[in-house]
Amino acid sequence: VEVTYRGLVYPEAGSYTIAAAVTSSAGEASQEVKHEVVLNDAAGKKAKNVIFFLGDGMGQAAITGARILSKGITEGKYDALLEMDTLDHRGNVTTSGVDSIATDSANSMSAYMTGHKSAVNAMGVYPGNSEDPNASPRVETMAEVLKRSREMSIGIVTTAEIQDATPAAVFAHTRRRSEYLDIMDQALQPGQMPDVYMGGGRASLLPQSQEGSRREDDRDLIEEFKDKGFAYAGSRTELAAVMAAGTPDKLLGTFTLGNLNVYIDREITPNPEVLGDFTDQPGLVEMTKAALEVLEKNDKGFFLMVEGASIDKSEHPLDGPRAVYDTIELDQAVGIAKEWAAGRDDTLIVVTADHNHAMSIAGTHTLSKEGSPARQQNGVYADAGFPTYEDANGDGFPDDPNPDVQLFFGWSNHPDHPDDFAHNPVLQQPALEDPATEQAFPNPERDPGSVLQIGNLPLEETNCVHTVEDVSIFASGPGSERFAKLLDNTEVFHAVCAALGLQVPTHSLLSTEGKVAEAEVAAQQTELVG
């Protein structure tokens, strides 16, 4: 039995109890849930623009590691702080979803972008039990609210595929985050369409006749976006050319078929075998600069989401150095936003993570001497000393991710895997799946001959998993004081909306029957947040 209410709104702020019951051949079931409808406190200076940075999986270890490597530390004091460290306010965010204390990126980012809890793999919906991922009841996203009520521009920049969970959650609705083709269809809808949309994921836009396409039809979505007024860039060089030719009103960039390569593999030790045909990818800083140039053209303001996606994508296979370098890259993009907003009093900057991860920093690791067990080269307490990373060109990134003394990364959860504790020139998965048993086994190509680390995850898991601890949130600009406390992830949405001055109108939208047609809601252009 499926019942969907469309255009349903509540008359005023408060607590509402929703009771549902069903009788079927499988039996009877009932449940009550409470909805808290929030009237945002919109007092104080209002923001016109919001720049929202999301470090995927960016727990405290990633932030601390980035500060050590990028800024340096002398006799126990940091030589300088990260850009995010110097934002005006700092708090913490809890990240659990409705179905589990352990969240995924879709579920947690959806909470940031809707103010509603959801379930693992779901975004922009109350998750239902239908096999159709589009059947779950939808809730309005940040993009939809701001486009409908303020005619603001929406920007999305990511180092992941543009259809991945975090970027998609800004505008999309689905019970299953892997529905990349449907997510792209939603991105072409006027009420959801981003004005800037950059990252990887070209495979979902190409017609099936083109190499690398994952489509099963002849649609060319790059051309469809162009028909809607988008300028297009497929490489770093093309992006620079597009911006040099005159700032476009809308901008689409897809720079790889899948995810962008991580910073180490793009910029520090580029490997043609790793990069393949995509040797000319822009970085997060370049994409953020371009996005700001496009979005600032709208005098009604903008919402820009910038994701450092491969912090998480490096932590899953237990690769600390790659995660930390990508954290530095995200922080430098924060610096670009701060520079852009300097001298203005109308822009809220927020930096946070969607969930924590298993990575920790236990001390230092000295590259093993021949015949010496790698484990014995892990220094803790006084034996740790300090790492020997160097940044000779002053770009904020150590020149060599594999110095004689480097960070010793530990992991709270992992499969059985070999580990020599040193940086891997090429990323290697810690474990692989045996198709016959559907269980994981240590990857023999990763650190062969090194110490086998006995895992603690279920036997089918090949990578480490997200953890449940709170994450940090940083903010500056109008309304930033709202973030200086412990927030549930749904409350972040409301804090952003309050900073923008969005609030429930004084007149009621409810008819006597308790609901109102979608057309009537849209016609009233109501700044409804709930």
Side-chain angles (χ1 to χ4, degrees), residues 259-266 269-271 273-275 309-326 401 411 418 420 422-432 443-448 462-464:
N259 301 313
L260 271 62
N261 291 97
V262 300
Y263 192 90
I264 284 178
D265 296 339
R266 278 188 285 116
T269 53
N271 183 333
E273 292 185 8
V274 173
L275 298 176
S310 287
I311 303 169
D312 172 89
K313 296 181 192 304
S314 298
E315 289 167 325
H316 278 297
L318 311 177
D319 198 311
R322 285 179 169 79
V324 169
Y325 272 72
D326 271 44
W411 305 90
D420 64 5
H423 170 66
N424 290 316
V426 177
L427 187 148
Q428 293 282 358
Q429 292 295 324
L432 305 173
N443 182 0
E445 300 298 321
R446 176 187 167 119
D447 303 339
T462 61
N463 276 210
C464 88

Side-chain angles (χ1 to χ4, degrees), residues 332 391-397 399:
Q332 292 194 351
D391 179 15
N393 61 8
D395 66 354
F397 295 90
D399 308 314

